[in-house]
Amino acid sequence: MPRVSQDHLDARRRQILDGARTCFARYGYEGATVRRLEEATGLSRGAIFHHFRDKESLFLALAEDEARRMADVVAEQGLVQVMRDLLSAPTGEASPADWLGTRLEVSRRLRTDTEFRARWAERSEALTEATRQRLQRQREAGNLRDDIDVKVLTAFLELVLEGLVSHLAMGLPADDLEPVLDLVEESVRRHRRSG
């Protein structure tokens, strides 16, 4: 039997994650049945669970993938850009709307599942650390206010993100929130005195 290339395995894993993202976003964790996962990925249960031990492992891998993508955006452009991306919500593969569904499901599971909370805690630190490092670089460049600790600014931005996620999850209008994000961004910037 010929060996399957690593590129093929990686592509199959990506196919599963992309389909699962849509399925979990649409149906939630409980509603994402194996049959729905098969339909969303276009693969059999055997193919899906060859790559992931069980549904929880698949969901955790998806949540980790989303956190990694978010950390990449944070490292390059900051946490406010993640929020702006959520507001723009383009359609298509790995859209912010799908990320929102995954994020909401992570929040729900964190509240109700102690095992998941323990597994997730170590992964979520990557996003916090990416935000902290980005803010530290901005401070060193003289662009970030220096009267407030970077840890406090990090917590502030993470709380704003959680509030935005809740706002969007409730289906409230988002078309007028860009000025709010401008205010958030302005609140962490260093203001130079003219003089």
Side-chain angles (χ1 to χ4, degrees):
M1 181 178 238
R3 288 180 58 136
V4 178
S5 74
Q6 188 61 46
D7 288 345
H8 177 77
L9 291 173
D10 291 344
R12 181 57 51 97
R13 190 174 197 281
R14 174 59 39 212
Q15 178 184 355
I16 294 167
L17 287 172
D18 289 343
R21 177 181 295 108
T22 302
C23 190
F24 284 122
R26 177 175 293 151
Y27 300 109
Y29 182 81
E30 299 303 328
T33 61
V34 173
R35 177 173 291 158
R36 286 176 170 159
L37 286 167
E38 289 174 317
E39 291 170 6
T41 62
L43 298 169
S44 70
R45 79 180 53 213
I48 295 169
F49 296 118
H50 171 76
H51 291 271
F52 300 95
R53 185 178 69 241
D54 52 25
K55 186 169 94 168
E56 175 156 319
S57 296
L58 172 57
F59 182 75
L60 190 60
L62 175 63
E64 289 171 343
D65 190 54
E66 295 299 329
R68 212 173 6 264
R69 288 177 189 218
M70 224 169 85
D72 290 345
V73 172
V74 168
E76 290 295 315
Q77 302 169 16
L79 193 56
V80 174
Q81 185 59 48
V82 169
M83 295 181 230
R84 291 186 194 285
D85 289 347
L86 275 175
L87 291 183
S88 65
T91 57
E93 188 177 312
S95 75
D98 288 344
W99 174 86
L100 176 64
T102 304
R103 181 77 179 193
L104 290 172
E105 195 58 33
V106 166
S107 296
R108 186 193 70 74
R109 302 251 354 251
L110 288 172
R111 214 177 57 251
T112 60
D113 184 335
T114 54
E115 278 185 44
F116 181 81
R117 187 180 319 126
R119 290 178 70 185
W120 181 248
E122 58 198 58
R123 277 111 177 140
S124 65
E125 181 56 31
L127 179 61
T128 298
E129 187 56 31
T131 302
R132 213 177 282 134
Q133 288 178 8
R134 165 84 180 172
L135 291 172
Q136 190 59 47
R137 286 192 307 273
Q138 290 296 309
R139 176 166 285 166
E140 289 165 5
N143 300 325
L144 187 73
R145 58 189 302 172
D146 56 7
D147 61 327
I148 297 176
D149 189 275
V150 167
K151 287 181 181 180
V152 173
L153 293 174
T154 300
F156 167 68
L157 291 174
E158 288 177 336
L159 285 171
V160 172
L161 173 63
E162 292 302 324
L164 178 63
V165 168
S166 294
H167 182 92
L168 296 174
M170 290 186 286
L172 297 173
D175 52 350
D176 60 347
L177 293 180
E178 280 293 334
V180 174
L181 294 184
D182 291 342
L183 178 63
V184 171
E185 210 164 36
E186 188 63 26
S187 70
V188 298
R189 282 198 183 120
R190 181 177 183 184
H191 298 280
R192 292 181 172 83
R193 294 191 177 111
S194 54

